[in-house]
Amino acid sequence: MPIPLAASRRGRGPLLVCHPGGPGLHPDYLASLGALAEQRTVAVLHPRGVGRTPAAAAPDDYGLDAYTADLGAWIDREAGGGPVDLLGHSHGGIVAGLLAARRPAAVRRLVLLATPAYGGAEADARAHEGYRARRDEPRVAAALDALERHAELPADGGALGRLVADLLPLWMGPYPHAVTRWQRHLAELPANAEALRHFNTLVHPELTTALLGLREIRGPTLALAGELDALAGPDHLRRLATLVPGARTVTVPGSGHMCQLDAADAVAKAVAEFLLD
């Protein structure tokens, strides 16, 4: 049964629906996409268990099918079934892509922002290789130390939010002022440990197979990722280009997994131009 999602809206004009990632991160981390609100109504969804949306009834009810059903139900309720322009970041890109594949009439244009193309051991190895390559950056070294100290996720949402803030340098380019500002903000936002734990233990190991569903996407698609993104960077973009028929790909120079934070202007420009085509 879909959970009715809350949403934060900004701006006026054609609707752009944005699905956050994590899973389990507070949706406010996508606040920088508000730059697109100069010409559009930007609706940032609150996925199940974060922000103003209730948690799932059971700790194992955070699978991709559940998230996709929630998204589809929101579009039906708030946008008459679409078609809408749809953007998903990271895990949210997976959800958005699966909806576009399963319900093509609901999506006009699709933006996959820092969205992985595969999971499992291969993705883990690629991520750790990317992190180690930047270990000489003091903030990255401190984040890696924090990651190693937390082999188990904190069960408390506030503690998990603070850990996310500590790990943020792994996911951003070397821009100290932007990193520090967003670390302070994210440390105040609770996260959903059950959602993230479910993804890490049950979804991520089988993600490569699940993402084969993206081959059914038929609408215009833009895939963007940061040059330094160890979770969904250039190698993932290359694979998305083979998975999604006709997908355009853009690599954002010097940027990380949170490219909407450390390269906000470049991301907003690329998305706006794509949506206007």
Side-chain angles (χ1 to χ4, degrees):
M1 178 71 67
I3 294 176
L5 303 182
S8 301
R9 295 177 184 255
R10 292 180 63 183
R12 297 179 63 184
L15 180 64
L16 173 63
V17 181
C18 303
H19 196 297
L25 297 189
H26 193 284
D28 280 5
Y29 87 92
L30 285 186
S32 60
L33 293 176
L36 294 164
E38 294 180 5
Q39 299 177 339
R40 294 183 164 269
T41 298
V42 177
V44 177
L45 304 187
H46 298 205
R48 52 178 53 204
V50 295
R52 300 194 306 274
T53 296
D60 61 349
D61 199 10
Y62 289 97
L64 292 176
D65 288 344
Y67 279 100
T68 304
D70 290 348
L71 173 58
W74 190 94
I75 292 173
D76 289 341
R77 186 178 69 251
E78 302 291 337
V84 300
D85 292 327
L86 179 60
L87 179 151
H89 175 258
S90 192
H91 174 268
I94 299 169
V95 175
L98 291 175
L99 181 80
R102 297 172 184 179
R103 294 185 51 185
V107 180
R108 189 186 79 95
R109 286 181 172 261
L110 174 67
V111 179
L112 302 177
L113 182 60
T115 298
Y118 54 91
E122 181 184 7
D124 287 340
R126 177 77 65 174
H128 288 295
E129 176 185 342
Y131 297 155
R132 288 194 299 270
R134 298 179 59 197
R135 183 131 205 174
D136 60 339
E137 298 174 36
R139 286 179 172 81
V140 172
L144 281 171
D145 290 342
L147 183 63
E148 291 167 2
R149 290 195 306 270
H150 290 84
E152 296 292 330
L153 291 177
D156 174 72
L160 180 56
R162 292 188 291 275
L163 175 59
V164 167
D166 289 342
L167 299 181
L168 188 61
L170 299 176
W171 308 324
M172 293 182 71
Y175 306 108
H177 298 299
V179 171
T180 301
R181 182 173 68 253
W182 278 100
Q183 278 187 304
R184 288 197 298 264
H185 184 57
L186 291 179
E188 299 174 353
L189 302 177
N192 185 321
E194 289 182 344
L196 186 54
R197 186 177 296 108
H198 181 90
F199 178 79
N200 288 345
T201 58
L202 297 177
V203 178
H204 187 261
E206 305 299 327
L207 188 58
T208 303
T209 299
L211 288 170
L212 294 178
L214 302 187
R215 296 182 297 189
E216 302 304 316
I217 294 173
R218 293 295 178 264
T221 303
L222 173 67
L224 299 89
E227 176 189 15
L228 302 178
D229 186 348
L231 297 176
D235 186 60
H236 289 264
L237 281 182
R238 286 189 287 271
R239 298 209 197 178
L240 283 174
T242 66
L243 272 176
V244 181
R248 306 183 198 177
T249 62
V250 172
T251 301
V252 185
S255 181
H257 190 58
M258 296 289 193
C259 54
Q260 82 284 355
L261 301 183
D262 61 19
D265 291 343
V267 169
K269 181 175 184 292
V271 172
E273 290 176 351
F274 170 71
L275 296 180
L276 286 174
D277 277 357

